[in-house]
Amino acid sequence: MIYMTQSNILFRFSWYGFYRGYVLSTFLVSLNSSLWWPFYYFYQSQLRPFVPDQVPTLALQCCCGPLSSLSANFLTNPIDVMRTRMQVTKNRESSLYVLRVLWEQDSYRLFWKGLTARLSYSCFYSFFIILGYETAKRYSLKEEYQQILYPIE
């Protein structure tokens, strides 16, 4: 089954068929990441005054990860829908054409089409990535700097 699909793509589109939507995917990942990190630090600075001192910093960070994922994915969702449409259509179409067709078909629903699945995946993923990232960052720091940056909570 997989071999038939691969040979069909190779026959119809040559090697370019395997990279359909690659540029848009790269742009989407870059844009999402460039939005995610500023949102992450923004939410930390905004929520810190409202969180009691007894709550560990890691707990706050693990809450800010999914919040930043929610914000970044909400903003980039129309590009993701467009990328997905480009990758699954049989004809080779430009991104502007695909965007125009999506707008004609879905209008404003384009902004939240598939958003539930994307948010549930990315928020869950962000929680565990931040849990691992902040933990590794904290324990890889030299001991002389640990008390300066992370005082005993």
Side-chain angles (χ1 to χ4, degrees):
M1 175 76 178
I2 293 174
Y3 176 74
M4 289 175 28
T5 304
Q6 289 176 346
S7 54
N8 187 23
I9 291 171
L10 188 61
F11 176 73
R12 290 186 69 203
F13 304 109
S14 81
W15 289 102
Y16 295 111
F18 292 110
Y19 296 99
R20 183 186 293 172
Y22 176 76
V23 173
L24 197 57
S25 293
T26 304
F27 172 72
L28 179 65
V29 169
S30 302
L31 179 63
N32 197 9
S33 182
S34 67
L35 290 171
W36 193 94
W37 284 103
F39 276 128
Y40 174 67
Y41 291 113
F42 170 76
Y43 285 129
Q44 278 188 47
S45 67
Q46 295 299 311
L47 293 178
R48 178 42 91 191
F50 300 106
V51 176
D53 292 336
Q54 298 86 350
V55 175
T57 305
L58 186 60
L60 173 67
Q61 292 166 334
C62 285
C63 291
C64 292
L67 284 174
S68 62
S69 181
L70 182 115
S71 302
N73 284 320
F74 183 76
L75 292 174
T76 59
N77 192 56
I79 300 169
D80 188 48
V81 172
M82 187 172 68
R83 176 192 57 95
T84 304
R85 180 67 63 94
M86 284 178 67
Q87 289 177 336
V88 298
T89 55
K90 292 183 180 181
N91 300 328
R92 226 179 128 90
E93 299 160 340
S94 72
S95 54
L96 290 176
Y97 177 78
V98 170
L99 185 61
R100 187 169 2 120
V101 168
L102 280 168
W103 183 257
E104 289 170 1
Q105 290 176 350
D106 297 325
S107 186
Y108 289 104
R109 289 188 319 220
L110 169 66
F111 293 103
W112 58 82
K113 188 175 191 174
L115 191 60
T116 306
R118 189 165 184 229
L119 288 179
S120 61
Y121 157 75
S122 65
C123 289
F124 185 73
Y125 178 77
S126 291
F127 174 83
F128 287 107
I129 287 297
I130 285 300
L131 181 64
Y133 170 75
E134 292 293 346
T135 304
K137 187 171 86 171
R138 186 174 192 163
Y139 287 114
S140 64
L141 199 60
K142 288 185 176 181
E143 286 185 32
E144 59 194 67
Y145 299 115
Q146 279 185 359
Q147 291 305 315
I148 296 169
L149 294 175
Y150 301 107
I152 296 177
E153 300 167 345

